[in-house]
Amino acid sequence: MTQVKKLTLEQISEITFLSLIFSLLVQYPLLKFVHRAGNSISLRLGSIVFLLSAICITFAPNYVTVLAGGFLKCIGNTLGAVGPAIMKKHLAGHGSENQFVSYQSDANGFAALVMMASSFFCGPLFAVNAYYPMFACILLCIGGVMVSFRITHNEPFQETALPVSASRQYADGRQRAGHSFGVLLFSSFAIVTALSGVGLTYSRLNFQELLSGSGSEYVVSLLSIVSTMIYLFRFLSDLAMRKVYYKLGDNTYAIAGALLMAGLMLQVFPWFHSEVDAAGVLFMGYLMQAFVRDPYITLVQNSSLEGGNYRNQQSSLVAQNAAKKVGALLLAGASIIILHEGDILWVMTMMAAASGMNLLLSFMIMGKGRAKLQ
């Protein structure tokens, strides 16, 4: 963006921040639309809005148009969040509802491979023409629109209602447990997606700070290798998820939480032990952060879609999309405040502490999940 659209780093930061705020503001209106339109229409519209966003950003003549493209991307992302609900219902219709984790892991793995291929080709394409990577993005969005119109999904626009007396008795027995379980999922989802998403940006800064004496070319080369390896590790994590989940079930929450905490502790470790191979330790911790992202998202999606009615499933998925934004916004805001007075070590320490809180939430989610099944 700095080279193609001649935007400053400050303007890019403003676009990112304003897009996050806009995304949070439109969550509830878009949820109302999803309730009325249904999953299939929402998914198709979301893919079209994504395409419009790519076109808007590609041909944007100024800052305002790029910002509008960012807003469109937020809308498309929220509308597209209902995709897992379509898959879950389709599998349930074929008696394979318990295979959701397997299919979603395959989808995540395929997405990771596409992103890895993109990272390989974007550099050469950019060298030929700075707009070629953007044109490629538009072509991918067109493919997404075409695929979305191939998806068929029978949607229950009206739920079959129980008699008031039976309905009220049933709801009173599950509403409180369901609400507390949803709060736990929302909180954990916000922490994990923030630490494994925006958190990677601060981990890269940690790399640069700790290895500043090793030469800029060495640091840039190492970060380039790590950034490419992320997609490979995300693909491997999706493969591992299929096997681990069906053997350990909800215990996978604790495993993913522990791996995230271990990865962030490795990011802090070299600050206190200068005799270790800092590059190797940071490399391992960074990849562990990225490793848990897709599996954890799949776990939360699977739990939130279990046994809920049609509208509750839509609400859960849109709430998870909002949780990503809330987590990213809080982490970015806290990090800016810390860096104003301190250094990156305190940011990494805060992130490690947040991962410890998430590990506790993971154990609570496991307990609530088992209670729901009884």
Side-chain angles (χ1 to χ4, degrees), residues 116 119-120 204 207 217-233 283 286-287:
M116 185 167 64
S119 68
F120 280 122
R204 284 193 289 270
F207 256 96
E217 290 185 3
Y218 172 75
V219 175
V220 170
S221 298
L222 183 61
L223 285 174
S224 177
I225 293 172
V226 172
S227 297
T228 303
M229 289 286 290
I230 278 181
Y231 299 119
L232 177 60
F233 264 66
F283 184 85
Y286 189 85
L287 292 178

mmCIF file of all heavy atoms in Angstrom, residues 116 119-120 204 207 217-233 283 286-287:
data_model
loop_
_atom_site.group_PDB
_atom_site.id
_atom_site.type_symbol
_atom_site.label_atom_id
_atom_site.label_comp_id
_atom_site.label_asym_id
_atom_site.label_seq_id
_atom_site.Cartn_x
_atom_site.Cartn_y
_atom_site.Cartn_z
ATOM 1 N N MET A 116 0.009 -20.018 1.182
ATOM 2 C CA MET A 116 1.433 -20.281 1.022
ATOM 3 C C MET A 116 1.844 -20.088 -0.436
ATOM 4 O O MET A 116 2.891 -19.499 -0.728
ATOM 5 C CB MET A 116 1.770 -21.702 1.485
ATOM 6 C CG MET A 116 3.263 -22.016 1.468
ATOM 7 S SD MET A 116 3.674 -23.535 2.368
ATOM 8 C CE MET A 116 2.809 -24.757 1.386
ATOM 9 N N SER A 119 2.030 -16.429 -1.187
ATOM 10 C CA SER A 119 3.231 -15.772 -0.673
ATOM 11 C C SER A 119 4.426 -16.018 -1.589
ATOM 12 O O SER A 119 5.327 -15.179 -1.689
ATOM 13 C CB SER A 119 3.549 -16.265 0.744
ATOM 14 O OG SER A 119 3.942 -17.627 0.731
ATOM 15 N N PHE A 120 4.445 -17.173 -2.270
ATOM 16 C CA PHE A 120 5.529 -17.470 -3.204
ATOM 17 C C PHE A 120 5.429 -16.635 -4.478
ATOM 18 O O PHE A 120 6.421 -16.145 -5.008
ATOM 19 C CB PHE A 120 5.525 -18.958 -3.581
ATOM 20 C CG PHE A 120 6.166 -19.842 -2.550
ATOM 21 C CD1 PHE A 120 5.447 -20.872 -1.967
ATOM 22 C CD2 PHE A 120 7.485 -19.654 -2.161
ATOM 23 C CE1 PHE A 120 6.033 -21.696 -1.018
ATOM 24 C CE2 PHE A 120 8.079 -20.468 -1.211
ATOM 25 C CZ PHE A 120 7.350 -21.493 -0.634
ATOM 26 N N ARG A 204 7.134 -10.494 15.830
ATOM 27 C CA ARG A 204 8.136 -10.087 14.831
ATOM 28 C C ARG A 204 8.974 -8.915 15.347
ATOM 29 O O ARG A 204 10.191 -8.856 15.124
ATOM 30 C CB ARG A 204 7.453 -9.729 13.509
ATOM 31 C CG ARG A 204 6.995 -10.944 12.717
ATOM 32 C CD ARG A 204 6.618 -10.572 11.295
ATOM 33 N NE ARG A 204 5.380 -9.816 11.233
ATOM 34 C CZ ARG A 204 4.178 -10.372 11.114
ATOM 35 N NH1 ARG A 204 4.054 -11.690 11.042
ATOM 36 N NH2 ARG A 204 3.097 -9.624 11.058
ATOM 37 N N PHE A 207 11.473 -10.331 17.632
ATOM 38 C CA PHE A 207 12.578 -10.855 16.826
ATOM 39 C C PHE A 207 13.597 -9.751 16.538
ATOM 40 O O PHE A 207 14.797 -9.898 16.776
ATOM 41 C CB PHE A 207 12.031 -11.365 15.483
ATOM 42 C CG PHE A 207 11.917 -12.863 15.372
ATOM 43 C CD1 PHE A 207 10.717 -13.491 15.627
ATOM 44 C CD2 PHE A 207 12.996 -13.629 14.993
ATOM 45 C CE1 PHE A 207 10.590 -14.853 15.508
ATOM 46 C CE2 PHE A 207 12.882 -14.999 14.869
ATOM 47 C CZ PHE A 207 11.669 -15.623 15.122
ATOM 48 N N GLU A 217 20.168 -7.581 7.477
ATOM 49 C CA GLU A 217 19.920 -8.540 6.404
ATOM 50 C C GLU A 217 19.603 -9.924 6.970
ATOM 51 O O GLU A 217 18.715 -10.628 6.470
ATOM 52 C CB GLU A 217 21.138 -8.626 5.476
ATOM 53 C CG GLU A 217 21.348 -7.374 4.635
ATOM 54 C CD GLU A 217 22.482 -7.551 3.641
ATOM 55 O OE1 GLU A 217 23.049 -8.667 3.572
ATOM 56 O OE2 GLU A 217 22.798 -6.581 2.932
ATOM 57 N N TYR A 218 20.324 -10.316 8.021
ATOM 58 C CA TYR A 218 20.088 -11.618 8.668
ATOM 59 C C TYR A 218 18.683 -11.667 9.267
ATOM 60 O O TYR A 218 17.959 -12.657 9.090
ATOM 61 C CB TYR A 218 21.127 -11.846 9.755
ATOM 62 C CG TYR A 218 20.864 -13.059 10.621
ATOM 63 C CD1 TYR A 218 21.100 -14.349 10.140
ATOM 64 C CD2 TYR A 218 20.375 -12.914 11.911
ATOM 65 C CE1 TYR A 218 20.861 -15.461 10.941
ATOM 66 C CE2 TYR A 218 20.135 -14.007 12.718
ATOM 67 C CZ TYR A 218 20.381 -15.281 12.224
ATOM 68 O OH TYR A 218 20.134 -16.379 13.018
ATOM 69 N N VAL A 219 18.299 -10.591 9.958
ATOM 70 C CA VAL A 219 16.987 -10.555 10.609
ATOM 71 C C VAL A 219 15.870 -10.592 9.573
ATOM 72 O O VAL A 219 14.889 -11.332 9.719
ATOM 73 C CB VAL A 219 16.861 -9.297 11.498
ATOM 74 C CG1 VAL A 219 15.452 -9.194 12.070
ATOM 75 C CG2 VAL A 219 17.875 -9.339 12.627
ATOM 76 N N VAL A 220 16.005 -9.796 8.497
ATOM 77 C CA VAL A 220 14.980 -9.758 7.450
ATOM 78 C C VAL A 220 14.853 -11.121 6.769
ATOM 79 O O VAL A 220 13.742 -11.616 6.513
ATOM 80 C CB VAL A 220 15.305 -8.672 6.406
ATOM 81 C CG1 VAL A 220 14.380 -8.787 5.205
ATOM 82 C CG2 VAL A 220 15.174 -7.292 7.028
ATOM 83 N N SER A 221 15.983 -11.773 6.496
ATOM 84 C CA SER A 221 15.964 -13.101 5.864
ATOM 85 C C SER A 221 15.288 -14.121 6.768
ATOM 86 O O SER A 221 14.480 -14.941 6.313
ATOM 87 C CB SER A 221 17.387 -13.554 5.538
ATOM 88 O OG SER A 221 18.003 -12.678 4.628
ATOM 89 N N LEU A 222 15.591 -14.064 8.068
ATOM 90 C CA LEU A 222 14.999 -15.001 9.020
ATOM 91 C C LEU A 222 13.492 -14.802 9.118
ATOM 92 O O LEU A 222 12.718 -15.767 9.109
ATOM 93 C CB LEU A 222 15.643 -14.824 10.389
ATOM 94 C CG LEU A 222 15.180 -15.786 11.493
ATOM 95 C CD1 LEU A 222 15.490 -17.226 11.108
ATOM 96 C CD2 LEU A 222 15.840 -15.445 12.820
ATOM 97 N N LEU A 223 13.062 -13.546 9.187
ATOM 98 C CA LEU A 223 11.629 -13.259 9.273
ATOM 99 C C LEU A 223 10.901 -13.688 8.007
ATOM 100 O O LEU A 223 9.758 -14.155 8.058
ATOM 101 C CB LEU A 223 11.405 -11.773 9.525
ATOM 102 C CG LEU A 223 11.699 -11.275 10.941
ATOM 103 C CD1 LEU A 223 11.570 -9.761 11.013
ATOM 104 C CD2 LEU A 223 10.775 -11.931 11.948
ATOM 105 N N SER A 224 11.554 -13.549 6.864
ATOM 106 C CA SER A 224 10.951 -13.980 5.605
ATOM 107 C C SER A 224 10.732 -15.494 5.602
ATOM 108 O O SER A 224 9.677 -15.984 5.179
ATOM 109 C CB SER A 224 11.848 -13.569 4.435
ATOM 110 O OG SER A 224 11.316 -14.026 3.214
ATOM 111 N N ILE A 225 11.731 -16.234 6.093
ATOM 112 C CA ILE A 225 11.610 -17.699 6.164
ATOM 113 C C ILE A 225 10.490 -18.094 7.122
ATOM 114 O O ILE A 225 9.661 -18.957 6.820
ATOM 115 C CB ILE A 225 12.945 -18.319 6.611
ATOM 116 C CG1 ILE A 225 14.013 -18.102 5.533
ATOM 117 C CG2 ILE A 225 12.777 -19.810 6.898
ATOM 118 C CD1 ILE A 225 15.407 -18.507 5.975
ATOM 119 N N VAL A 226 10.458 -17.436 8.286
ATOM 120 C CA VAL A 226 9.445 -17.759 9.297
ATOM 121 C C VAL A 226 8.046 -17.457 8.772
ATOM 122 O O VAL A 226 7.108 -18.246 8.965
ATOM 123 C CB VAL A 226 9.714 -16.968 10.594
ATOM 124 C CG1 VAL A 226 8.560 -17.138 11.573
ATOM 125 C CG2 VAL A 226 11.002 -17.427 11.240
ATOM 126 N N SER A 227 7.885 -16.311 8.092
ATOM 127 C CA SER A 227 6.569 -15.933 7.574
ATOM 128 C C SER A 227 6.056 -16.948 6.561
ATOM 129 O O SER A 227 4.858 -17.258 6.519
ATOM 130 C CB SER A 227 6.642 -14.545 6.932
ATOM 131 O OG SER A 227 6.989 -13.572 7.892
ATOM 132 N N THR A 228 6.959 -17.487 5.746
ATOM 133 C CA THR A 228 6.560 -18.518 4.776
ATOM 134 C C THR A 228 6.247 -19.829 5.479
ATOM 135 O O THR A 228 5.296 -20.530 5.123
ATOM 136 C CB THR A 228 7.675 -18.730 3.736
ATOM 137 O OG1 THR A 228 7.959 -17.488 3.092
ATOM 138 C CG2 THR A 228 7.252 -19.747 2.685
ATOM 139 N N MET A 229 7.038 -20.157 6.506
ATOM 140 C CA MET A 229 6.846 -21.414 7.243
ATOM 141 C C MET A 229 5.524 -21.443 7.996
ATOM 142 O O MET A 229 4.993 -22.512 8.287
ATOM 143 C CB MET A 229 8.005 -21.617 8.227
ATOM 144 C CG MET A 229 9.329 -21.949 7.579
ATOM 145 S SD MET A 229 9.376 -23.644 6.956
ATOM 146 C CE MET A 229 9.418 -24.564 8.492
ATOM 147 N N ILE A 230 4.996 -20.250 8.316
ATOM 148 C CA ILE A 230 3.731 -20.188 9.062
ATOM 149 C C ILE A 230 2.638 -20.974 8.347
ATOM 150 O O ILE A 230 1.892 -21.743 8.958
ATOM 151 C CB ILE A 230 3.301 -18.724 9.272
ATOM 152 C CG1 ILE A 230 4.039 -18.130 10.461
ATOM 153 C CG2 ILE A 230 1.803 -18.615 9.520
ATOM 154 C CD1 ILE A 230 3.667 -16.710 10.758
ATOM 155 N N TYR A 231 2.523 -20.767 7.033
ATOM 156 C CA TYR A 231 1.452 -21.410 6.282
ATOM 157 C C TYR A 231 1.638 -22.927 6.255
ATOM 158 O O TYR A 231 0.662 -23.682 6.334
ATOM 159 C CB TYR A 231 1.398 -20.847 4.863
ATOM 160 C CG TYR A 231 1.112 -19.370 4.823
ATOM 161 C CD1 TYR A 231 2.028 -18.473 4.273
ATOM 162 C CD2 TYR A 231 -0.065 -18.856 5.357
ATOM 163 C CE1 TYR A 231 1.761 -17.111 4.245
ATOM 164 C CE2 TYR A 231 -0.332 -17.508 5.335
ATOM 165 C CZ TYR A 231 0.584 -16.631 4.783
ATOM 166 O OH TYR A 231 0.322 -15.295 4.762
ATOM 167 N N LEU A 232 2.882 -23.370 6.157
ATOM 168 C CA LEU A 232 3.147 -24.809 6.203
ATOM 169 C C LEU A 232 2.758 -25.375 7.558
ATOM 170 O O LEU A 232 2.137 -26.444 7.641
ATOM 171 C CB LEU A 232 4.622 -25.073 5.907
ATOM 172 C CG LEU A 232 5.073 -26.540 5.994
ATOM 173 C CD1 LEU A 232 4.299 -27.395 4.994
ATOM 174 C CD2 LEU A 232 6.573 -26.656 5.764
ATOM 175 N N PHE A 233 3.091 -24.664 8.628
ATOM 176 C CA PHE A 233 2.758 -25.136 9.968
ATOM 177 C C PHE A 233 1.251 -25.108 10.209
ATOM 178 O O PHE A 233 0.724 -25.981 10.912
ATOM 179 C CB PHE A 233 3.491 -24.295 11.025
ATOM 180 C CG PHE A 233 4.771 -24.919 11.480
ATOM 181 C CD1 PHE A 233 5.826 -25.056 10.594
ATOM 182 C CD2 PHE A 233 4.933 -25.371 12.783
ATOM 183 C CE1 PHE A 233 7.018 -25.643 11.005
ATOM 184 C CE2 PHE A 233 6.104 -25.966 13.188
ATOM 185 C CZ PHE A 233 7.156 -26.101 12.305
ATOM 186 N N PHE A 283 12.228 -18.639 16.885
ATOM 187 C CA PHE A 283 11.667 -19.314 15.715
ATOM 188 C C PHE A 283 10.630 -20.356 16.153
ATOM 189 O O PHE A 283 9.512 -20.410 15.626
ATOM 190 C CB PHE A 283 12.803 -19.970 14.928
ATOM 191 C CG PHE A 283 12.376 -20.632 13.651
ATOM 192 C CD1 PHE A 283 12.251 -19.903 12.478
ATOM 193 C CD2 PHE A 283 12.113 -21.989 13.601
ATOM 194 C CE1 PHE A 283 11.868 -20.506 11.291
ATOM 195 C CE2 PHE A 283 11.731 -22.608 12.433
ATOM 196 C CZ PHE A 283 11.611 -21.866 11.269
ATOM 197 N N TYR A 286 7.502 -18.648 17.785
ATOM 198 C CA TYR A 286 6.691 -17.957 16.774
ATOM 199 C C TYR A 286 5.816 -18.942 16.015
ATOM 200 O O TYR A 286 4.618 -18.710 15.810
ATOM 201 C CB TYR A 286 7.638 -17.230 15.812
ATOM 202 C CG TYR A 286 6.980 -16.304 14.830
ATOM 203 C CD1 TYR A 286 6.669 -14.998 15.176
ATOM 204 C CD2 TYR A 286 6.696 -16.725 13.541
ATOM 205 C CE1 TYR A 286 6.084 -14.133 14.259
ATOM 206 C CE2 TYR A 286 6.105 -15.864 12.619
ATOM 207 C CZ TYR A 286 5.806 -14.578 12.986
ATOM 208 O OH TYR A 286 5.229 -13.735 12.081
ATOM 209 N N LEU A 287 6.399 -20.060 15.614
ATOM 210 C CA LEU A 287 5.637 -21.057 14.868
ATOM 211 C C LEU A 287 4.579 -21.731 15.740
ATOM 212 O O LEU A 287 3.511 -22.101 15.253
ATOM 213 C CB LEU A 287 6.578 -22.100 14.268
ATOM 214 C CG LEU A 287 7.492 -21.583 13.146
ATOM 215 C CD1 LEU A 287 8.417 -22.700 12.654
ATOM 216 C CD2 LEU A 287 6.683 -21.023 11.981
#
